[in-house]
Amino acid sequence: NTRNRIAANRFMLRYCICIKERRLPACIKGRRHLACASVMKNLENDLRAAIQGEVRFDPGTRAIYSTDASNYRQVPIGVVLPRTLEDVVKTHEIARTHSAPVLSRGGGTSLAGQCCNVAIVMDFSKYLNRVLNIDPVERIGDVEPGTILDDLRSAAENHHLTFGPDPASHSRCTIGGMIGNNSCGVHSVYSGKTEDNVHEMDVLTYRGLRLSVGKTSEQELQSIMSKGGPRGEIYSKLKDLRDRYQDLIRARFPKIPRRVSGYNLTQLLPEKGFDVARALVGTEGTCVTVLRARLHLVHSPPYRRLIVLGFRDMATAADHLMEILSYKPLAVEGVDDDLVESMKRKNLHPENVALLPPGGGWLLVEFGGETSEEALERAQIATKGLSRISDAPQIKLCKDDNEARMMWRVRESALGATASAPGEKLNWEGWEDSAVPPEKMGPYLRELRALMSRYDYHGGLYGHLGDGCVHTRIDFDLQTPQGIQKFRQFMSEAADLVVSFGGSLSGEHGDGQSRAELLHKMFGHELVEAFREFKRIWDPDAKMNPGKVVDPYRLDDNLKMASFVSSPVKTHFPFAADRNFSNTTLRCVGVGECRQLNVGTMCPSFQVTREEMHSTRGRARILFEMLNGETVRDGWKSEEVKEALSLCLSCKACRSDCPVGVDMATYKAEFLSHYYEGRIRPASAYAMGLIFWWSRLGALLPTITNFFSQTDPFARWMKALIGVAPERKIPSFAKQTFRQWFKSHKPPLKTSGSRILLWIDTFHNFYYPEIAQASVEALESIGFEVVIPSRILCCGRPLYEYGMLDCAKKVLTRTVSAVSNEFGDDIPMVGLEPGCLSVFRDEIINLFPGNEDAEKLRARTFLLSEFLHSQNVELPTLNRKAIVHLHCHQRSVAGIKTEEAILKKLGLDFQILDSGCCGMAGSFGFEKDHYDVSIRCAERVLAPAVREAHEDTLVLTNGFSCREQLLQRTGKRPLHLGEVIKMAFKKNV
C-alpha cells in the first residue's frame, strides 16, 4: 500500500502540489517551489491550449472540489470541465505527459471518498449531459456520462419506460457517477442495480485507448485476442484472470441482491457472458473513464399505490421482509424512530412525518399496475395479508399520489435528517452502507445496534430493506486521535459482523476509501489480489483515481475533520444553533439537493450556470476551506470566497430546502461584512443598500427625480454611476407616498374593533403605494382597524445583502424599540413584502438572540395571507383563473399553505408555479454584473409562463422584486394579494 501511494502520488510528490504543502517548508521557501509553480502552470497552459472546455487551477475551484459527500478531503491538482469527448481524450493525453492522475466526477454525491483525489478532476456534469437517444423498441437509452438520472427517466417515460436504479439523489446524480458506484436506489427490488441495466459502454483508458465494451461471446473473445494490439492484450489478460480465479469468485462473492463491494469479477464468468461493460461498473473511476453508455430501460408501471407499515421497531419490521416481498412490490424502504425523531427536532417536513402510522419502525411498500385499479388491488391484497401476520403492523394505505409523495419525501430526506440535529454531535459516514441477505436483516439490525451501543455510538437507521441494505450515519469522533482510533476499531468489528451474516461491506455507495482497506475480510487476500490485477490490466500506470478500492489509503487517512479546528470566530451573527461559525461551515454534508435543475427554488444561480461554485454546496465548502486556511489562505479577505458568493441571490431557499438547513444568505452577509472592513464598497452597495434613505430624499421632489432617472442621457449616466445594468429601468417614485395618502384616508365607521399594525416598507411607501392602499381597503372591508407606525421605519433588508450588518443592527434596533413603545406587545403586525417578513422572522432573532422585544415582535408578525388565514376570515369570490409566483423568502419563511388557503377562499382557479427565484432578488438583478444571471433565472420558468398566460388570467406575486422583474421582462404588472382581495370586494359590492 505504501508503494502504491508513492506511485499514485508521484506527480504530487515530484512537484510538491499537495494538501500537505505546509509540511515541506524547505521546498516552499526555496527554489524548488518556484519550479513547482512553473510545472503546474505548464500543465494548466497545456490543457487550456488543447481543449475547448474550461480549465481551472485556481485555489477557489480546487478547494470546492476537494471533497464529495464523504468524510474525506483531498485537494485536486486542477479541474477540467470538458465540452466534448475529444476534450476528455486530450485531457488524458496531457495528464500522461505530466504523469498526473485523473478522476472522473459527476454529481459529486459519493459517500465513500471516491470523488475526491489529488488528481485532475474532470467534471462531466456541466456540458457532457445529453440524452442522446431513446429506442423504445429495443428498450435502450444512450447517454453521455454527465446526464442527470431524472433527465433520462423523463425522456424514457414518454415511452412508458424508465431506467430502473433510482437513488435518493435522482434529481442531480449523473449516469457516469451511477456507473462508477454501481448505484441502486429505491426500486432495485424491481429492477436491480446499475450493473444489471448496462448494455454497452464506450470507455477510455489512461493510456488513450478508446473501445466499446459489453457482452462478449466465446467466438468474439477469440477473435479479439487473435487480432492482438492493446485491445487484444487487455481481453487476453481478462480471460486469463477469469480462468485462474473463477472457482474462487463463485465461492467467495456473496450471492445477495446488494453486493456492491469489490470489482464485478462475476461478470467475466462464462455464465455471465464475459460482460466487460458490467465488470467495469462499480470500479469508481479507478480503471477507465466512461465516455458514453448504452443502458437497458425497463417498463415503468404507470400507476402506483403506497402502503406504509408501522412496526414496533425497525428490526421487527425487517423480520417480516420475506412475507412482504412475496407480494411482489416495486419497492420496500425502511426508516426508524431515531430518524423520525431527528426530523421532528429539525422541523423537517413536519406535515409529512405526521402522516406516518403509529410505530417505531416503518416500511414504505409500493405496488404498481397498468391501471389504477390494478395497483390498488395489489396494495389491498398485501394490506389484508399483512394485517394477519404475527406482530402485525399499523397499516396506512396512501389515499392519493400527493400523500404518497409526502411519504417518499420522508425517506428521501433521511441522509440530511441524520447528519446532525440542533445541539447534538455531528454524524458521519463510514459504516453507512452495509448489506445482508434480506431474510437475515432482522437479526443483523439487532447485532448492529448492539455493536453501536458497545461503542456508545448513535445513528438513525433507514434504507433499502427489501434488498437487505441499511443506511445510517454515526456520531464518530473524527477529530481527536482517540476518536479516530475508536472509529478504526469499530469499522473492523462492523466488517466482521456483516461478513458473518454473508453480507457486503457496501450495498450501494461503493468502497472508495471508507471500506476498501477492509475488503480482505469479505473476499480474502487472494481475491483482493485479483482486484489488483484487474486494475493493473486497465491502468498499469496506477493513475486512475489512485488509492481507492485497490491498494487504498487507510480508512483514517485524508479525514477532512482531522485537521479542522472548531474554534470561535468573531462574527456579527451568533450562529447559536451550531455554537459558532466554524461549526456552521460543517452543516453541508454534500447530498447536493442544491444542484437540482428543474424543480424547487434552491439554488437559482446553479440552475442557470450549472457551476459547482454557484451551488449552495460549493459555497459552503469554500467557506469551510476559508477557515481551514490551507488552500484558501486569505480568510475573510479571500477573493475566491467573494467570487463564489457573488452570484448568491440571498433568496434564502437553502434555509428551507436544504435538508440540513444551510442558510447561505446569512453566511454571505457575514462574509461581506468582514470582507469590506476598511474597504470601500462598490457604488451599487451605497446606492441600493441605502435605498431607504435615498428614497426618502428622492420622494421629496418625485417629478424631478423621475425625470432624471427615466430620461436619457441622465438615466444612462445615473445607471452607469451606481452600477445598474443599462438594460434595467430604475423604478419611478409615486407622486404621493402611501403615508401621505394614509394621513388623509378616512376609514369606514364600522369595524370589528380588532386593530392591526400594517408594516409599511420602503417599496410600498415610495414606489407602489397603490398596493398598500388596496391592502388597507381590503382589511377594512373585512372589518379590521388599520394603523401604521407614526415614524418612517425600515427593517434593513437591503443592508444585509451588502454585509452592512452594523448599520442593519442599528436600524433594526430602532425599529423594534419604536414599534414596541408605540403599540405594545399585543397588536399583530401584518407585512406586505416577504423580504421584510423574513427579517422579522429570521434576522431579528439571529442578530438579537434572547432579546425579549425582538422575540415578541417576531411572534406577532404575519404576512397578509398568514394573518387572514389565522383569523379564519370570510372572503368574497372572484372566480378567475390565476398563476401565482411566490417570493423566495415567502417560500422559505412562511411556506405556501396559507397563501393556497386564501386563494381558495377567493374562488380562484390557480396554479402556483414551480418557478424558483424570479432572478431580481432585491438589488441583485439590477446590478450590471448580475444582469445576465438574473434574466436567465426569470426565463427558466416564470417569464415564459406569464407571457403565455391568457390576458384574462390574473398574475399574482407579493414581492416587489418579482413584480419589477415581470414588469420589465414581460410588460405585465402582476397583482399583490391585497389588490386581488380588494378586487373581490369591489366585484361583490
Side-chain angles (χ1 to χ4, degrees):
N1 287 356
T2 301
R3 182 177 66 253
N4 175 265
R5 285 196 295 274
I6 292 173
N9 287 308
R10 186 176 300 154
F11 179 87
M12 303 312 292
L13 291 170
R14 181 180 176 190
Y15 301 124
C16 306
I17 309 300
C18 77
I19 62 172
K20 297 178 180 177
E21 286 174 327
R22 292 184 174 183
R23 299 187 185 180
L24 302 169
C27 173
I28 288 176
K29 295 176 182 178
R31 295 178 181 177
R32 281 183 58 200
H33 182 63
L34 297 177
C36 298
S38 174
V39 170
M40 282 293 295
K41 194 64 179 176
N42 289 340
L43 171 59
E44 180 182 359
N45 289 341
D46 287 352
L47 286 167
R48 289 187 187 280
I51 73 171
Q52 299 177 36
E54 301 173 38
V55 177
R56 300 179 185 170
F57 277 54
D58 60 281
T61 299
R62 293 173 62 223
I64 287 168
Y65 282 84
S66 64
T67 187
D68 44 20
S70 73
N71 302 331
Y72 300 100
R73 173 184 176 271
Q74 291 177 280
V75 180
I77 299 167
V79 177
V80 171
L81 284 73
R83 289 181 183 270
T84 65
L85 295 184
E86 189 60 28
D87 280 353
V88 182
V89 175
K90 287 288 187 181
T91 299
H92 282 67
E93 179 183 322
I94 292 164
R96 287 197 305 278
T97 302
H98 291 268
S99 298
V102 295
L103 164 62
S104 300
R105 176 177 163 126
T109 57
S110 294
L111 289 150
Q114 56 266 66
C115 250
C116 57
N117 214 324
V118 182
I120 297 173
V121 173
M122 297 176 293
D123 184 346
F124 289 93
S125 65
K126 186 172 182 179
Y127 297 116
L128 292 173
N129 51 38
R130 297 175 298 162
V131 177
L132 300 170
N133 181 55
I134 299 291
D135 184 339
V137 177
E138 296 296 326
R139 295 187 174 183
I140 291 291
D142 292 292
V143 298
E144 292 178 322
T147 302
I148 292 173
L149 171 58
D150 272 0
D151 290 347
L152 171 61
R153 295 204 303 173
S154 295
E157 283 289 354
N158 293 329
H159 308 281
H160 305 295
L161 300 171
T162 193
F163 185 63
D166 59 340
S169 56
H170 54 81
S171 61
R172 62 267 187 200
C173 69
T174 66
I175 298 297
M178 294 179 69
I179 290 170
N181 293 347
N182 198 4
S183 299
C184 308
V186 170
H187 291 96
S188 59
V189 166
Y190 169 64
S191 60
K193 307 186 292 291
T194 295
E195 71 173 281
D196 303 314
N197 294 275
V198 168
H199 183 64
E200 293 176 351
M201 295 193 304
D202 294 341
V203 299
L204 174 69
T205 69
Y206 184 78
R207 293 190 173 181
L209 177 64
R210 292 181 66 172
L211 65 162
S212 294
V213 294
K215 275 193 175 183
T216 317
S217 67
E218 285 299 316
Q219 184 178 359
E220 288 175 309
L221 180 57
Q222 292 301 322
S223 174
I224 292 169
M225 292 190 299
S226 65
K227 290 179 182 177
R231 187 185 188 204
E233 182 181 351
I234 286 174
Y235 274 67
S236 294
K237 290 180 178 179
L238 290 174
K239 180 180 181 299
D240 174 64
L241 176 73
R242 186 271 312 270
D243 292 344
R244 285 185 289 113
Y245 286 102
Q246 59 183 322
D247 290 341
L248 197 57
I249 291 169
R250 293 187 183 99
R252 291 298 301 262
F253 272 68
K255 297 174 179 61
I256 59 176
R258 285 297 192 95
R259 192 280 309 154
V260 170
S261 280
Y263 288 154
N264 290 329
L265 301 186
T266 52
Q267 296 292 349
L268 297 178
L269 296 173
E271 57 268 32
K272 294 287 189 177
F274 200 80
D275 197 324
V276 179
R278 292 185 176 184
L280 287 168
V281 172
T283 53
E284 303 180 8
T286 61
C287 295
V288 297
T289 295
V290 176
L291 302 177
R292 175 172 169 160
R294 302 202 78 198
L295 307 171
H296 289 297
L297 304 175
V298 298
H299 175 63
S300 177
Y303 295 93
R304 311 289 175 97
R305 274 290 178 153
L306 180 71
I307 62 174
V308 184
L309 311 178
F311 287 90
R312 181 173 65 248
D313 53 45
M314 185 79 128
T316 302
D319 289 336
H320 297 283
L321 283 174
M322 302 314 292
E323 293 163 291
I324 295 167
L325 290 170
S326 69
Y327 293 100
K328 305 297 182 186
L330 300 178
V332 182
E333 297 290 298
V335 296
D336 78 349
D337 55 340
D338 281 355
L339 184 147
V340 168
E341 286 303 313
S342 179
M343 293 185 72
K344 290 178 180 178
R345 288 193 296 274
K346 291 184 171 187
N347 199 34
L348 188 61
H349 308 302
E351 66 278 10
N352 303 26
V353 171
L355 292 175
L356 290 169
W362 295 268
L363 295 179
L364 284 69
V365 186
E366 184 181 72
F367 296 89
E370 297 308 302
T371 65
S372 178
E373 293 75 17
E374 181 184 359
L376 177 60
E377 181 183 10
R378 291 182 176 179
Q380 288 174 332
I381 291 172
T383 298
K384 185 176 180 180
L386 294 172
S387 65
R388 294 196 293 261
I389 64 175
S390 60
D391 299 318
Q394 297 287 321
I395 303 177
K396 177 182 180 62
L397 174 60
C398 291
K399 60 185 179 183
D400 54 33
D401 290 343
N402 182 60
E403 195 169 70
R405 278 193 294 271
M406 294 176 74
M407 289 288 86
W408 281 121
R409 188 63 175 162
V410 173
R411 168 61 186 88
E412 290 181 354
S413 300
L415 195 154
T418 55
S420 64
E424 297 183 2
K425 292 191 290 185
L426 294 174
N427 296 332
W428 302 98
E429 293 80 36
W431 195 253
E432 86 293 341
D433 189 38
S434 53
V436 297
E439 63 271 19
K440 297 181 179 179
M441 178 57 82
Y444 172 67
L445 290 180
R446 293 182 180 92
E447 290 292 323
L448 178 60
R449 276 291 186 205
L451 177 62
M452 291 170 64
S453 294
R454 288 200 297 275
Y455 278 83
D456 195 27
Y457 284 150
H458 308 87
L461 299 176
Y462 62 99
H464 315 289
L465 266 64
D467 270 338
C469 179
V470 60
H471 298 321
T472 186
R473 291 174 67 97
I474 298 174
D475 55 349
F476 300 122
D477 168 10
L478 299 181
Q479 283 188 271
T480 69
Q482 299 83 359
I484 293 171
Q485 180 60 33
K486 181 180 174 182
F487 162 66
R488 280 193 62 84
Q489 292 171 349
F490 172 84
M491 290 289 289
S492 179
E493 286 196 48
D496 291 335
L497 174 64
V498 78
V499 169
S500 74
F501 277 88
S504 175
L505 310 183
S506 174
E508 178 170 29
H509 298 159
D511 301 312
Q513 185 175 344
S514 291
R515 291 169 285 275
E517 184 186 352
L518 304 170
L519 286 175
H520 67 93
K521 291 177 175 284
M522 177 177 167
F523 292 102
H525 291 286
E526 287 182 86
L527 279 181
V528 169
E529 179 58 35
F531 297 155
R532 187 176 289 115
E533 287 188 42
F534 183 82
K535 175 177 169 62
R536 205 156 46 230
I537 290 169
W538 294 102
D539 179 29
D541 302 299
K543 298 296 185 184
M544 302 291 289
N545 202 10
K548 309 298 164 82
V549 185
V550 167
D551 294 326
Y553 294 100
R554 286 165 51 102
L555 61 86
D556 54 346
D557 284 342
N558 306 315
L559 290 169
K560 64 185 175 188
M561 291 299 296
S563 61
F564 180 78
V565 179
S566 178
S567 56
V569 178
K570 186 178 180 180
T571 56
H572 295 273
F573 293 103
F575 301 99
D578 301 309
R579 295 184 297 279
N580 59 62
F581 184 68
S582 297
N583 290 336
T584 293
T585 66
L586 299 173
R587 269 186 178 259
C588 177
V589 294
V591 297
E593 283 202 38
C594 48
R595 287 177 56 95
Q596 298 179 107
L597 292 169
N598 300 316
V599 296
T601 307
M602 178 182 69
C603 176
S605 49
F606 177 81
Q607 288 176 333
V608 298
T609 68
R610 299 182 78 131
E611 284 277 358
E612 177 69 16
M613 176 173 62
H614 298 144
S615 68
T616 304
R617 181 178 72 179
R619 293 174 180 128
R621 284 184 175 159
I622 201 167
L623 286 167
F624 171 88
E625 292 290 334
M626 178 190 80
L627 294 187
N628 195 45
E630 212 167 68
T631 306
V632 178
R633 296 182 175 179
D634 296 324
W636 293 114
K637 303 298 183 181
S638 167
E639 293 297 330
E640 294 87 4
V641 178
K642 181 174 177 289
E643 181 186 6
L645 293 172
S646 66
L647 292 188
C648 171
L649 287 84
S650 298
C651 68
K652 285 187 171 287
C654 50
R655 181 185 178 278
S656 58
D657 292 4
C658 173
V660 292
V662 168
D663 183 3
M664 195 53 60
T666 299
Y667 309 166
K668 177 184 177 181
E670 185 68 55
F671 172 80
L672 291 178
S673 71
H674 296 279
Y675 178 85
Y676 282 113
E677 282 180 2
R679 292 177 170 179
I680 301 296
R681 287 176 165 84
S684 58
Y686 299 106
M688 289 178 270
L690 305 178
I691 193 171
F692 170 63
W693 291 274
W694 292 120
S695 296
R696 294 180 68 179
L697 183 63
L700 296 176
L701 296 169
T703 302
I704 296 175
T705 305
N706 288 339
F707 172 79
F708 284 104
S709 68
Q710 307 300 314
T711 308
D712 280 334
F714 308 109
R716 186 168 64 250
W717 296 341
M718 183 181 293
K719 286 184 279 189
L721 179 66
I722 63 176
V724 169
E727 299 87 347
R728 287 295 183 194
K729 181 180 179 181
I730 297 175
S732 300
F733 284 94
K735 292 181 180 180
Q736 181 187 46
T737 68
F738 169 78
R739 295 182 67 86
Q740 290 169 342
W741 172 87
F742 192 78
K743 283 181 180 179
S744 59
H745 170 63
K746 294 182 179 179
L749 297 176
K750 292 184 179 180
T751 67
S752 65
S754 298
R755 287 203 315 162
I756 63 168
L757 169 62
L758 187 66
W759 173 256
I760 299 302
D761 58 88
T762 299
F763 305 105
H764 288 116
N765 185 36
F766 296 110
Y767 300 95
Y768 286 102
E770 66 272 20
I771 292 175
Q773 293 168 20
S775 301
V776 167
E777 291 168 359
L779 288 164
E780 288 175 343
S781 296
I782 296 170
F784 294 105
E785 178 188 351
V786 179
V787 296
I788 65 172
S790 59
R791 301 168 61 184
I792 300 178
L793 300 173
C794 181
C795 68
R797 162 53 60 203
L799 298 167
Y800 297 99
E801 294 168 20
Y802 292 101
M804 298 176 171
L805 296 184
D806 288 329
C807 185
K809 193 168 184 177
K810 290 176 183 177
V811 168
L812 197 51
T813 299
R814 175 174 176 257
T815 294
V816 172
S817 176
V819 171
S820 298
N821 291 339
E822 185 171 1
F823 297 102
D825 300 326
D826 299 326
I827 181 172
M829 186 168 79
V830 177
L832 304 176
E833 171 58 44
C836 297
L837 176 79
S838 69
V839 172
F840 293 121
R841 287 281 183 82
D842 194 7
E843 277 82 5
I844 196 170
I845 56 169
N846 284 340
L847 283 177
F848 305 102
N851 183 295
E852 188 175 342
D853 287 339
E855 288 285 355
K856 288 178 179 178
L857 185 57
R858 174 180 181 265
R860 60 190 177 94
T861 301
F862 303 88
L863 203 60
L864 180 59
S865 57
E866 289 184 299
F867 175 73
L868 296 178
H869 182 66
S870 70
Q871 300 298 305
N872 194 27
V873 298
E874 293 297 323
L875 295 174
T877 58
L878 263 180
N879 298 317
R880 295 274 298 274
K881 288 196 173 205
I883 59 173
V884 183
H885 169 76
L886 292 185
H887 188 286
C888 297
H889 289 197
Q890 182 173 354
R891 285 184 182 272
S892 174
V893 178
I896 67 173
K897 297 297 184 183
T898 58
E899 195 83 10
E900 285 180 326
I902 297 303
L903 295 175
K904 287 176 181 176
K905 281 192 173 186
L906 288 167
L908 293 174
D909 177 8
F910 66 93
Q911 174 194 6
I912 295 182
L913 298 174
D914 187 7
S915 45
C917 181
C918 72
M920 189 64 89
S923 59
F924 179 92
F926 281 99
E927 294 179 342
K928 182 179 178 180
D929 293 343
H930 299 154
Y931 178 77
D932 177 62
V933 168
S934 171
I935 296 305
R936 289 164 67 187
C937 286
E939 293 295 337
R940 196 177 64 84
V941 174
L942 178 58
V946 171
R947 289 193 197 99
E948 294 164 9
H950 191 274
E951 61 181 13
D952 290 334
T953 299
L954 301 177
V955 178
L956 276 74
T957 186
N958 292 328
F960 166 80
S961 300
C962 312
R963 285 193 303 276
E964 199 64 32
Q965 180 79 299
L966 286 174
L967 181 61
Q968 296 196 23
R969 197 68 193 156
T970 70
K972 294 184 179 181
R973 198 286 215 174
L975 298 172
H976 189 280
L977 178 63
E979 294 177 294
V980 176
I981 296 173
K982 178 186 174 181
M983 185 186 299
F985 275 110
K986 188 174 181 180
K987 175 180 176 289
N988 286 272
V989 170

